[in-house]
């Protein structure tokens, strides 16, 4: 058996802490060597933020009563010695519950009342308003108190059909999904819209976020859940019951909410992040059947489920959440192995960590390499300057005072010429800024709002919005246009800078490299993913739901928010790219200024016979040696940063779980 989920997550956490520490060390070292320019600084900050703020979300999605909450209890909370999240027959979890840890808050449960659905604000906006949430303390030393408090996520309230309709729980056109009305015409709806559970659990402290969701209808009623939270989760665990098999509503949830839209076409990394659990396998354990019979039946069920979901059978993991919890609490290892829980934890850990590690790995690699080459560039400028000084000093050997005086004069003239270049560089800056502002405007929030106006209007019309799909396609066509315009404009900036750098090199003997081209490929693929993940909400199957204006407004809000993030990150990429293109200009200016000062000082010293030529030459030689060692140190630091990124230890293959014989 490979390391457990907890252990793997711990390893990941330890790696992150170590990495953050190394980055900190590198920053101090660069600062002490005067090598920390704007672009390098920004790159370091990005890396630090990425590694530190790295959250990993695992969403549990399934029809009601399949055992999502019980599975969460068994995997994450068994050490409390009891069930923490409410899990019982029938519908239990009534609102989405997010478990995580924010250090600035005390351990607590925060609940957003269901009537906030009357307003058009998105869940994201409500998150930013702590006063709208009901906050209840959690006593981390008292498992009973925690369980009693968490029971709130199962609370319901009775309201009129009229009210339920407003909140999106009643659809006249789709009566099958409606809650049952009692004699007084009242129906039960969830008491809360969303729950945030803040717990100082070791895994949550390291950035794990667990999302427990209610079953169908409730899932569909909150667009933000289906369009933002679930699609952005790093892993989605889909739970089936061995007692029920794959039902029609299981399939509907799988198709509408779990299966990533682009997975149907090709098995990419996203598809790998979907895990299917066949839960409650203990219901097949039966004292009358032999172990082999039970195994055969289990295999048949897994095969059947896999066939219906269109997956290979190995991807359906047999588990008994309940027996797993019991086994962990009672330290019964035989039962634990039979529950299949350890295998599931392993696959989950590998899936999440593997994916997360891959994302971080790419970011770290790209940024560290860039950083290294940026710093190396400065080191090279310094070396060239030293070489020039050396040549200059050597030419003074055995020369008389007048030659030395005219040398000083020449350096001063050069210095004046160089000062004139400052004006030219200033002008280049201004042009670049102006061009950049154009790009930023296109990627800004008011431009996005404008692009979404037509879609917003189409969705806000009354009645069935059958034309919305077309407007939607056109909107994304335009958004892609924005992306390609941004790319073109960046290319224009690049060629402008390239041409100016060439001139500056010729005129002032700089060694400016033409800037690298900007790659906004992530922007394009994010847009594509978002387009694909929302389109299903505009199809015929959702026409009825869409006809509710509250629902469609929430949908457009959620979409706008998601796009906003993507636009912002493209904007940040452009910013960093532009900064690093011009950082070399700053670096050369600074180094050149320094070098003039040093050359004049050296000539003065030689003139005044304060120190000999030989001495000065020795100084320069020492400085060159120091540069070589800086170069080496930099290389080592970069290698160290990249080193711990070796792939995670791969857990052993799937071992079939069976009966406890
Ligand atoms: N026999 C058996 N029962 C289980 C198992 N896992 C969960 N159950 C039971 O199934 C019922 C539903 O479990 P929950 O965890 O509440 O299911 P859920 O998917 O969270 O359901 P909702 O919260 O209503 O969406 C409870 O009574 C659990 O005790 C299992 O592995 N074996
Ligand atoms: Mg539940």
């Amino acid at each position: 058996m490979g390391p457990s989920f907890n252990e793997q997550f711990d390893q990941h956490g330890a790696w992150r802490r170590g990495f953050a520490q190394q980055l900190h060390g590198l920053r101090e070292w660069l600062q002490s060597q005067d090598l920390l320019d704007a672009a390098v600084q920004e790159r370091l900050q990005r890396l630090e933020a990425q590694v530190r703020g790295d959250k990993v979300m695992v969403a549990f999605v399934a029809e009601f009563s399949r055992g999502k909450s019980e599975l969460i209890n068994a995997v994450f909370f068994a050490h409390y010695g009891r069930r923490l999240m409410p899990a019982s027959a029938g519908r239990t979890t009534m609102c989405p519950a997010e478990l995580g840890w924010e250090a600035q808050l005390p351990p607590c449960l925060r609940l957003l009342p269901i009537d906030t659905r009357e307003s058009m604000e998105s869940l994201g906006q409500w998150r930013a308003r702590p006063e709208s949430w009901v906050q209840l303390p959690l006593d981390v030393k008292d498992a009973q108190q925690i369980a009693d408090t968490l029971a709130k996520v199962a609370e319901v309230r009775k309201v009129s059909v009229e009210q339920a309709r407003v909140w999106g729980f009643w659809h006249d056109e789709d009566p099958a999904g409606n809650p049952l009305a009692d004699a007084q015409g009242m129906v039960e709806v969830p008491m809360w819209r969303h729950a945030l559970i803040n717990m100082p659990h070791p895994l949550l402290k390291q950035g794990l976020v667990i999302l427990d969701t209610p079953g169908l209808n409730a899932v569909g009623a909150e667009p933000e859940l289906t369009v933002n939270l679930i699609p952005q989760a790093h892993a989605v665990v889909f739970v089936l019951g061995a007692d029920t098999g794959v039902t029609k509503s299981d399939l509907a949830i799988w198709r509408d909410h779990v299966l990533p839209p682009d997975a149907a076409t090709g098995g990419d990394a996203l598809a790998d992040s979907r895990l299917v659990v066949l839960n409650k396998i203990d219901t097949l354990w039966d004292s009358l059947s032999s172990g082999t019979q039970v195994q055969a039946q289990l295999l048949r069920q897994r095969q059947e489920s896999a066939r219906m979901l269109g997956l290979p059978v190995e991807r359906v993991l047999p588990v008994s959440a309940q027996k797993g919890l019991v086994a962990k609490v009672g330290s019964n290892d035989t039962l634990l192995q039979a529950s299949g829980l350890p295998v599931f934890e392993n696959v989950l850990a590998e899936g999440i960590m593997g994916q997360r590690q891959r994302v971080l790995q790419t970011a770290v690699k790209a940024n560290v390499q860039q950083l290294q080459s940026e710093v190396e560039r400065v080191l090279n400028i310094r070396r060239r300057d030293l070489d020039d000084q050396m040549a200059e000093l050597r030419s003074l050997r055995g020369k008389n005072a007048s030659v030395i005086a005219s040398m000083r004069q020449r350096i001063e003239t050069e210095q004046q010429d160089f000062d004139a270049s400052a004006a030219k560089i200033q002008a280049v800056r201004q042009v670049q800024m102006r061009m950049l502002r154009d790009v930023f405007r296109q990627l800004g929030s008011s431009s996005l709002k404008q692009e979404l106006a037509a879609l917003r209007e189409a969705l806000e019309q009354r009645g069935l919005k059958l034309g919305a799909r077309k407007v939607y396609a056109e909107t994304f066509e335009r958004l892609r246009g924005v992306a390609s315009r941004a790319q073109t404009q960046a290319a224009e900036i690049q060629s402008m800078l390239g041409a100016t750098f060439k001139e500056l090199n010729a005129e002032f003997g700089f060694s400016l490299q033409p800037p690298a081209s900007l790659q906004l490929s992530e922007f394009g693929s994010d847009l594509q993913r978002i387009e694909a993940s929302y389109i299903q909400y505009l199809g015929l199957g959702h026409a009825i739901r869409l006809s509710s204006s509250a629902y469609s407004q929430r949908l457009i809000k959620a979409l706008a928010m998601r796009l906003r993030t993507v636009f912002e990150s493209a904007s940040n990429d452009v910013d960093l790219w532009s900064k690093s293109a011009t950082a070399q200009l700053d670096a050369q200016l600074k180094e050149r200024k320094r070098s003039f000062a040093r050359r004049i000082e050296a000539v003065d010293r030689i003139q005044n016979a304060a120190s000999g030529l030989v001495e000065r030459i020795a100084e320069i030689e020492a400085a060159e040696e120091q540069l070589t060692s800086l170069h080496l140190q930099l290389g080592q630091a970069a290698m160290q940063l990249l080193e711990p990124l070796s792939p995670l230890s791969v857990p052993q293959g799937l071992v079939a779980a069976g009966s406890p014989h």
Side-chain angles (χ1 to χ4, degrees), residues 218-262:
V219 170
E222 180 68 85
E224 191 123 339
L225 183 64
T226 46
V227 295
N228 283 351
L229 285 174
I230 298 173
Q232 288 187 82
H234 298 96
V236 177
V237 178
F238 181 66
V239 187
L240 292 168
D243 53 345
T244 44
V246 182
T247 67
K248 203 171 146 222
S249 56
D250 283 322
L251 267 182
I253 294 185
W254 168 256
R255 209 184 37 232
D256 290 349
H257 303 300
V258 183
L259 192 67
D262 40 358

Side-chain angles (χ1 to χ4, degrees), residues 516-529:
S517 61
L518 171 70
Q519 294 307 331
L520 285 178
S521 52
E522 206 142 295
F523 191 24
S525 58
D526 279 345
L527 282 179
Q528 206 167 8
R529 242 199 306 279

Side-chain angles (χ1 to χ4, degrees), residues 68-69 86-87 92-93 212-213:
K68 297 176 293 286
S69 304
T92 306
T93 310
D212 190 8
T213 63

